Structures are given as C-alpha cells and as structure tokens.
Amino acid sequence: MNGLPEIVDSLEYKLKQLLRKMEVLEKRNRELESKLSESAMVNGSQHEEIMMLKKQNETLKMANSLLGSDDNKRETKLKINSLIREIDYCIAQLSD
C-alpha cells in the first residue's frame, strides 16, 4: 500500500502532461486550419485570375488575327463561324 500514493501521483503527473500536450496540439490544429483556409482563399483568387487572363489571351489572339496576323486565322474563322451559327439559332428562335 505504500506504493499507491506514488502511483496516483505518477498518474496525475502523466495526465497533466497529456492535457498540456492536448492543448498544444489543439492550438496547432487551429493554426493549421486557419492556414488551410487562407490557402484555399488564395488558391480560389489565383484560379479566377488565371481564368480571366486566359480569356484576355484568347481575346488578344482573336484581335491580333483580325488585324491581319496569319498565326491564328484558322481559330478566328472557326470562332466567327461559331458566332454566326449562334446568331442564326437565335434568329430562328425569335422567328418561331
């Protein structure tokens, strides 16, 4: 029975250590969740910026080919044909 208080003290000490470690890990978890959220926001804004830049690039390519560049004439013709088909479809829908 002499060892029982020592065992209880040892368990109490280990329990306090575990609680401290748990608090540290919870704090670290919150920090990581915050960083993850921030990274997701940055990723989303970068994705939007990439999409906008791609659209601008396509617009510039089309404008360049309309100005007489031979590089993207085929793509421009296809885009114009596509736009004409869409206009024809809209006219047909309005006629009905």
Side-chain angles (χ1 to χ4, degrees):
M1 287 295 221
N2 290 342
L4 188 59
E6 292 172 1
I7 292 173
V8 171
D9 289 340
S10 173
L11 284 174
E12 186 178 334
Y13 175 75
K14 288 180 181 180
L15 184 60
K16 286 180 182 178
Q17 282 184 325
L18 283 174
L19 288 174
R20 270 188 251 124
K21 283 183 182 180
M22 187 177 83
E23 289 172 359
V24 168
L25 289 174
E26 285 176 344
K27 180 181 177 188
R28 180 69 177 147
N29 189 32
R30 285 189 300 272
E31 290 172 357
L32 290 173
E33 285 175 348
S34 175
K35 285 183 180 181
L36 179 63
S37 175
E38 183 180 322
S39 295
M41 288 174 43
V42 168
N43 187 23
S45 66
Q46 288 176 343
H47 180 71
E48 288 177 14
E49 184 177 357
I50 287 170
M51 298 317 270
M52 182 186 67
L53 290 172
K54 282 183 179 181
K55 189 173 182 177
Q56 286 178 352
N57 188 29
E58 290 300 318
T59 303
L60 289 173
K61 280 182 183 179
M62 185 166 301
N64 192 23
S65 60
L66 290 173
L67 291 173
S69 172
D70 292 332
D71 295 339
N72 300 315
K73 276 191 177 182
R74 182 179 185 281
E75 292 172 15
T76 304
K77 287 179 183 179
L78 291 174
K79 182 68 176 176
I80 290 171
N81 287 337
S82 172
L83 291 172
I84 290 172
R85 281 192 298 276
E86 285 183 37
I87 291 170
D88 288 341
Y89 177 76
C90 290
I91 291 171
Q93 291 293 321
L94 291 172
S95 297
D96 291 340

